[in-house]
Amino acid sequence: MASKRNQDDESGASLLGSMSEQRSLSATHLPEDTEALDPLSDDEVEGLSRRRTPRWRDYIPSMHEEPRRRTGRQVSESTDEKSIGGRKRGHYRTCIKVVFWVLVVLGVFNIVGFFVSLGRLLWGNDLDRILSDWGKPGHEGEGLAKWPTDFSRDIMPIPCHSHNDYWRRVPLYDAISAGCISVEADIWLFDDELYVGHDTSSLTRNRTLRNLYLNPIVDILEKQNPSTNFTPESNTINGIFDTEPFQPLTLLIDFKMDGNTTWPYLVNQLEPLLQRGYLTTFNGTDILPGPVIIVGTGNTPFHLVTANTTRHIFFDAPLDEMWEDDDPSSEESPFKEPSSKVMRSTYKKRHRDGPSEFLPHPPPPNPSTPSPPAPPPGNNTYTPQNSYYASVSFGKAVGRMWRNQLSASQLNIIRGHIRGAHRRGLKARYWDLPNWPIGFRNHVWDILVKEGIDLLNVDDLKGATKVDWRKREGWF
């Protein structure tokens, strides 16, 4: 190793010697104008050599050419990257400009549309003026904007029951505006007065059955049946719904206290409706339809409903006692509710000068006409002559739906209930339906409607009226 180092030093010294000789030779060949420069002394040359002593590897050409080649390639690559980046930035700028001008054009259109609409408001044509001022005093159509019976104009009745209707912001009227054909009121007897509320803690002196339901129904029907020169001897009574005047409104009254004690007070308060001929009644042989049907539930005494041969309060029968199997050999039901044609023919108009009387009954049937077949075995206590609804709790009768689906046995229960109620001429109704989740509730409603339920028991009026729940046949 020592000999190798001595050889490196000797080679370095020889290189330094050759450099000094080249330096002296170059100095002798300088042009004449460079003679004024002071030549370097030997001490200065020696100092420079001490400051930087180049090693022999620095003078090998291969050690310097390769880095230069790499540096040139890197420069070319960086130049390419810069050009690519410049092109990308150019694309971005172009896209931004396009979006900007599109927004500008859309903004111009919106501004033009705004001024055009403003001009229409300020300088409307005659048709716009007529439509906006129609029926106002001093304008076209003065006194023609309203009809005598337009209380429920444009409201289409739907088969829904307003459960606990007294809880709504406007009892009775909210349900009518939604199109419900049935409302519910819970009554409590205190101090010879029938109060409406869910429990005793919610009762107030001014919330009575008369104030919330009976008197408003009388007022509505009076407006729907005005006495004019055009209807002096009309035998037709219009119902609450102007679009379907023969659709009755059902008032379901839930007896919360002792039924035997409450019964006579309810009968007495229904006299104004009865005297005007607004109640559906049973005269002992026939059902005479009217625009209002009173149905008792809860603690309503069934024996008092059937005590008289004539009645105007009907019963809410137990639906769970009416289940029937699907037997195609069973006879057609002898219990049939009146058709719409019969309802139209048997509606009566109240007499303004005295108490109302029923229209003459149809002639008795011909003795030679065969009598209807006997009802099939089962509970036939409840008929259209004493009952109107057949109701039961959905959770109690059908049970809980696992995974939001009805099992085959549960579907069979629903079909049996509806089949039994319809055979007796009653309208099937389930209460205590699931309310949440909303999709699950709508799914249950859809199943019940498809299976033939007559009335949906609802708490959400808006949700019930968003869908047409009437049964459809075919694709349309």
Short mmCIF file of all heavy atoms in Angstrom, two decimals, residues 15-24 27 38-54:
data_model
loop_
_atom_site.label_atom_id
_atom_site.label_comp_id
_atom_site.label_asym_id
_atom_site.label_seq_id
_atom_site.Cartn_x
_atom_site.Cartn_y
_atom_site.Cartn_z
N LEU A 15 2.79 15.52 -13.04
CA LEU A 15 1.74 16.29 -13.67
C LEU A 15 1.86 17.76 -13.34
O LEU A 15 1.69 18.63 -14.19
CB LEU A 15 0.36 15.77 -13.24
CG LEU A 15 -0.07 14.42 -13.82
CD1 LEU A 15 -1.36 13.94 -13.18
CD2 LEU A 15 -0.21 14.52 -15.33
N LEU A 16 2.21 18.07 -12.10
CA LEU A 16 2.39 19.48 -11.71
C LEU A 16 3.55 20.09 -12.46
O LEU A 16 3.52 21.24 -12.89
CB LEU A 16 2.59 19.59 -10.20
CG LEU A 16 1.34 19.36 -9.32
CD1 LEU A 16 1.74 19.39 -7.85
CD2 LEU A 16 0.30 20.43 -9.60
N GLY A 17 4.61 19.31 -12.61
CA GLY A 17 5.78 19.82 -13.34
C GLY A 17 5.44 20.13 -14.78
O GLY A 17 5.85 21.15 -15.34
N SER A 18 4.68 19.23 -15.42
CA SER A 18 4.29 19.46 -16.81
C SER A 18 3.40 20.67 -16.93
O SER A 18 3.48 21.45 -17.88
CB SER A 18 3.58 18.23 -17.37
OG SER A 18 2.41 17.98 -16.63
N MET A 19 2.53 20.92 -15.96
CA MET A 19 1.64 22.09 -15.97
C MET A 19 2.43 23.36 -15.86
O MET A 19 2.16 24.34 -16.55
CB MET A 19 0.62 22.02 -14.82
CG MET A 19 -0.46 20.97 -15.00
SD MET A 19 -1.60 20.94 -13.61
CE MET A 19 -2.23 22.59 -13.71
N SER A 20 3.49 23.38 -15.01
CA SER A 20 4.32 24.58 -14.86
C SER A 20 5.07 24.85 -16.15
O SER A 20 5.24 25.99 -16.56
CB SER A 20 5.26 24.43 -13.67
OG SER A 20 6.10 23.31 -13.87
N GLU A 21 5.57 23.77 -16.81
CA GLU A 21 6.29 23.97 -18.06
C GLU A 21 5.37 24.54 -19.13
O GLU A 21 5.72 25.45 -19.88
CB GLU A 21 6.86 22.63 -18.54
CG GLU A 21 8.00 22.12 -17.65
CD GLU A 21 8.49 20.77 -18.11
OE1 GLU A 21 7.88 20.26 -19.11
OE2 GLU A 21 9.40 20.20 -17.47
N GLN A 22 4.08 24.00 -19.20
CA GLN A 22 3.14 24.54 -20.17
C GLN A 22 2.82 25.99 -19.87
O GLN A 22 2.65 26.80 -20.75
CB GLN A 22 1.85 23.71 -20.17
CG GLN A 22 2.02 22.31 -20.72
CD GLN A 22 0.73 21.52 -20.63
OE1 GLN A 22 -0.27 22.07 -20.20
NE2 GLN A 22 0.79 20.27 -21.04
N ARG A 23 2.76 26.31 -18.60
CA ARG A 23 2.45 27.69 -18.20
C ARG A 23 3.55 28.61 -18.67
O ARG A 23 3.31 29.71 -19.17
CB ARG A 23 2.29 27.74 -16.67
CG ARG A 23 1.76 29.08 -16.17
CD ARG A 23 1.69 28.99 -14.65
NE ARG A 23 1.13 30.20 -14.13
CZ ARG A 23 -0.14 30.50 -13.98
NH1 ARG A 23 -1.01 29.61 -14.36
NH2 ARG A 23 -0.53 31.65 -13.49
N SER A 24 4.86 28.21 -18.46
CA SER A 24 5.98 29.06 -18.88
C SER A 24 6.03 29.18 -20.39
O SER A 24 6.31 30.26 -20.93
CB SER A 24 7.29 28.47 -18.35
OG SER A 24 7.48 27.17 -18.89
N ALA A 27 3.38 31.59 -21.53
CA ALA A 27 3.74 32.97 -21.19
C ALA A 27 4.67 33.54 -22.22
O ALA A 27 4.65 34.73 -22.52
CB ALA A 27 4.35 33.02 -19.79
N ASP A 38 1.58 41.33 -14.95
CA ASP A 38 2.66 40.79 -14.13
C ASP A 38 2.62 39.29 -14.16
O ASP A 38 1.58 38.70 -13.89
CB ASP A 38 2.54 41.28 -12.69
CG ASP A 38 2.71 42.79 -12.60
OD1 ASP A 38 3.39 43.33 -13.47
OD2 ASP A 38 2.09 43.40 -11.67
N PRO A 39 3.69 38.65 -14.47
CA PRO A 39 3.68 37.17 -14.45
C PRO A 39 3.61 36.66 -13.03
O PRO A 39 4.02 37.32 -12.08
CB PRO A 39 5.02 36.82 -15.12
CG PRO A 39 5.88 38.00 -14.87
CD PRO A 39 5.00 39.21 -14.87
N LEU A 40 3.04 35.44 -12.88
CA LEU A 40 2.93 34.83 -11.56
C LEU A 40 4.30 34.37 -11.09
O LEU A 40 5.07 33.79 -11.84
CB LEU A 40 1.97 33.62 -11.62
CG LEU A 40 0.51 33.94 -11.93
CD1 LEU A 40 -0.27 32.64 -12.06
CD2 LEU A 40 -0.09 34.82 -10.84
N SER A 41 4.53 34.65 -9.84
CA SER A 41 5.78 34.19 -9.25
C SER A 41 5.67 32.75 -8.86
O SER A 41 4.59 32.17 -8.83
CB SER A 41 6.11 35.06 -8.02
OG SER A 41 5.09 34.89 -7.05
N ASP A 42 6.84 32.21 -8.54
CA ASP A 42 6.86 30.80 -8.14
C ASP A 42 6.09 30.58 -6.86
O ASP A 42 5.46 29.54 -6.67
CB ASP A 42 8.33 30.33 -7.99
CG ASP A 42 9.06 30.36 -9.31
OD1 ASP A 42 8.33 30.30 -10.37
OD2 ASP A 42 10.28 30.42 -9.30
N ASP A 43 6.14 31.58 -5.95
CA ASP A 43 5.41 31.42 -4.67
C ASP A 43 3.90 31.41 -4.90
O ASP A 43 3.17 30.64 -4.26
CB ASP A 43 5.79 32.57 -3.73
CG ASP A 43 7.28 32.53 -3.33
OD1 ASP A 43 7.83 31.41 -3.39
OD2 ASP A 43 7.82 33.58 -2.96
N GLU A 44 3.44 32.26 -5.86
CA GLU A 44 1.99 32.28 -6.12
C GLU A 44 1.53 31.00 -6.77
O GLU A 44 0.46 30.47 -6.45
CB GLU A 44 1.67 33.47 -7.04
CG GLU A 44 1.85 34.81 -6.35
CD GLU A 44 1.63 35.97 -7.30
OE1 GLU A 44 1.61 35.74 -8.53
OE2 GLU A 44 1.43 37.09 -6.82
N VAL A 45 2.38 30.48 -7.65
CA VAL A 45 2.02 29.20 -8.26
C VAL A 45 1.96 28.12 -7.23
O VAL A 45 1.06 27.26 -7.21
CB VAL A 45 3.00 28.84 -9.38
CG1 VAL A 45 2.72 27.43 -9.90
CG2 VAL A 45 2.90 29.85 -10.51
N GLU A 46 2.88 28.14 -6.32
CA GLU A 46 2.92 27.12 -5.26
C GLU A 46 1.70 27.26 -4.36
O GLU A 46 1.12 26.27 -3.89
CB GLU A 46 4.21 27.24 -4.49
CG GLU A 46 4.38 26.13 -3.45
CD GLU A 46 5.71 26.26 -2.71
OE1 GLU A 46 6.50 27.18 -3.04
OE2 GLU A 46 5.92 25.40 -1.82
N GLY A 47 1.25 28.58 -4.07
CA GLY A 47 0.07 28.78 -3.22
C GLY A 47 -1.20 28.25 -3.88
O GLY A 47 -2.06 27.69 -3.23
N LEU A 48 -1.29 28.48 -5.19
CA LEU A 48 -2.47 27.97 -5.87
C LEU A 48 -2.52 26.46 -5.85
O LEU A 48 -3.58 25.84 -5.74
CB LEU A 48 -2.49 28.46 -7.32
CG LEU A 48 -2.78 29.96 -7.51
CD1 LEU A 48 -2.60 30.34 -8.97
CD2 LEU A 48 -4.18 30.32 -7.03
N SER A 49 -1.36 25.85 -5.99
CA SER A 49 -1.34 24.38 -5.96
C SER A 49 -1.72 23.85 -4.61
O SER A 49 -2.29 22.77 -4.50
CB SER A 49 0.06 23.87 -6.39
OG SER A 49 1.02 24.30 -5.44
N ARG A 50 -1.39 24.64 -3.56
CA ARG A 50 -1.78 24.17 -2.22
C ARG A 50 -3.29 24.29 -2.03
O ARG A 50 -3.91 23.50 -1.34
CB ARG A 50 -1.05 25.00 -1.15
CG ARG A 50 0.43 24.72 -1.05
CD ARG A 50 0.94 25.25 0.28
NE ARG A 50 2.38 25.39 0.28
CZ ARG A 50 3.03 26.52 0.02
NH1 ARG A 50 2.32 27.61 -0.27
NH2 ARG A 50 4.37 26.58 0.03
N ARG A 51 -3.87 25.40 -2.56
CA ARG A 51 -5.30 25.62 -2.37
C ARG A 51 -6.13 24.50 -3.00
O ARG A 51 -7.13 24.06 -2.48
CB ARG A 51 -5.70 26.94 -3.02
CG ARG A 51 -6.26 27.93 -1.97
CD ARG A 51 -6.63 29.23 -2.62
NE ARG A 51 -5.49 30.08 -2.71
CZ ARG A 51 -5.44 31.19 -3.40
NH1 ARG A 51 -6.49 31.53 -4.12
NH2 ARG A 51 -4.37 31.95 -3.41
N ARG A 52 -5.81 24.10 -4.18
CA ARG A 52 -6.55 23.01 -4.82
C ARG A 52 -5.54 22.07 -5.44
O ARG A 52 -4.85 22.43 -6.38
CB ARG A 52 -7.49 23.55 -5.91
CG ARG A 52 -8.27 22.45 -6.63
CD ARG A 52 -9.16 23.05 -7.68
NE ARG A 52 -9.94 22.03 -8.33
CZ ARG A 52 -9.49 21.27 -9.35
NH1 ARG A 52 -8.27 21.45 -9.80
NH2 ARG A 52 -10.29 20.35 -9.89
N THR A 53 -5.42 20.96 -4.89
CA THR A 53 -4.50 19.95 -5.41
C THR A 53 -5.31 18.95 -6.19
O THR A 53 -5.93 18.05 -5.61
CB THR A 53 -3.75 19.26 -4.27
OG1 THR A 53 -3.12 20.24 -3.47
CG2 THR A 53 -2.72 18.29 -4.82
N PRO A 54 -5.43 19.08 -7.48
CA PRO A 54 -6.25 18.12 -8.26
C PRO A 54 -5.64 16.75 -8.25
O PRO A 54 -4.44 16.61 -8.29
CB PRO A 54 -6.27 18.75 -9.66
CG PRO A 54 -5.02 19.54 -9.73
CD PRO A 54 -4.75 20.07 -8.35
#
